[in-house]
Amino acid sequence: MKLRDKIFSGHLDEGEKILHIAHRHVLIFKMSAFKVFNLGIIAPTILFLFFPQALLVFLVWWTLGIAGILYHFIDWYFDAWLITNVGVIDVERNGLFERSSTRIEYYMIEGIAYTIKGFAQTVFNYGDITIDKMGASTQVVLKDAASPKKIERLIMKCQEQFVADKSIRDHSALKNMLSEMIAYHVQNDKIKNPYKH
């Protein structure tokens, strides 16, 4: 089992497997962590060169800077879509102590679309992906997803595979049920009329 599967295993049902994890583009993490890096690592390092006697203050400052970068990484990493063999799970983490997930199984997906807007999104190939849930006015959106067209195609391919597998399973179940019904009626017919050939 991969580490990512262990990290997200709490969101999976029994027998469900993660096929792909769609994250926001890494550029989004870098942009949000850039300020923290400058204020939490670079600034205290420069000030330490001028005031080395305040080492304890700078150690606390660096620790807070590293914690801030770690916080932004966790926020980025856990804001993802888990594309599984059964459906798509939208996992969101807001801060350290609040998380939520929304599950849309493949048979409930009515439509999927992506949008790439602006210069930066076009150049770095990221944008928003939207899934419409059947029978509800609910949409699930992954903002600033890396390679949105590729993710859209992957979800559509997984949905087609799920529907094909389900059709085969349903066909087998129906065949088994019909053969059991026929066997039952043949057996009951012999019991009612033992002289029938």
Side-chain angles (χ1 to χ4, degrees):
M1 181 181 259
K2 294 180 181 178
L3 178 62
R4 71 172 191 183
D5 294 347
K6 287 182 182 178
I7 290 172
F8 290 107
S9 65
H11 298 283
L12 303 177
D13 287 340
E14 191 175 325
E16 193 171 12
K17 290 180 257 172
I18 296 175
L19 305 175
H20 182 75
I21 299 177
H23 291 283
R24 298 172 75 200
H25 197 283
V26 73
L27 184 66
I28 303 304
F29 163 65
K30 289 180 179 179
M31 289 188 317
S32 64
F34 184 70
K35 273 190 220 173
V36 177
F37 180 75
N38 284 335
L39 294 174
I41 306 294
I42 300 295
T45 302
I46 292 171
L47 289 173
F48 175 71
L49 296 175
F50 295 109
F51 306 103
Q53 63 276 16
L55 177 63
L56 185 61
V57 171
F58 294 118
L59 285 174
V60 170
W61 196 343
W62 284 319
T63 303
L64 291 174
I66 291 169
I69 292 170
L70 185 63
Y71 170 82
H72 282 287
F73 174 77
I74 288 170
D75 188 46
W76 168 79
Y77 189 78
F78 286 97
D79 191 11
W81 278 4
L82 308 179
I83 301 169
T84 73
N85 57 328
V86 177
V88 178
I89 304 169
D90 176 26
V91 178
E92 290 185 36
R93 185 170 213 123
N94 299 317
L96 294 175
F97 305 108
E98 181 185 341
R99 67 181 180 175
S100 64
S101 71
T102 304
R103 171 183 292 273
I104 300 179
E105 295 189 2
Y106 289 125
Y107 68 90
M108 293 295 292
I109 294 177
E110 188 170 54
I112 181 167
Y114 70 91
T115 307
I116 297 175
K117 282 189 207 175
F119 178 75
Q121 288 188 353
T122 303
V123 170
F124 293 106
N125 190 25
Y126 70 95
D128 300 344
I129 306 174
T130 306
I131 293 179
D132 294 319
K133 191 172 180 180
M134 192 179 296
S137 58
T138 310
Q139 289 185 329
V140 177
V141 180
L142 179 61
K143 293 198 167 290
D144 303 319
S147 305
K149 181 178 180 177
K150 180 180 166 187
I151 294 168
E152 179 200 40
R153 298 289 180 245
L154 177 64
I155 292 171
M156 289 171 67
K157 182 180 171 190
C158 291
Q159 184 181 27
E160 288 170 9
Q161 184 65 45
F162 175 82
V163 169
D165 290 347
K166 187 172 181 338
S167 176
I168 291 169
R169 282 192 311 269
D170 290 349
H171 177 73
S172 283
L174 182 61
K175 191 166 108 178
N176 289 340
M177 190 169 54
L178 287 173
S179 64
E180 287 173 11
M181 286 173 60
I182 291 170
Y184 173 80
H185 284 293
V186 166
Q187 185 66 27
N188 279 347
D189 194 36
K190 283 184 180 178
I191 292 169
K192 288 179 185 175
N193 192 357
Y195 301 109
K196 190 175 182 182
H197 295 292

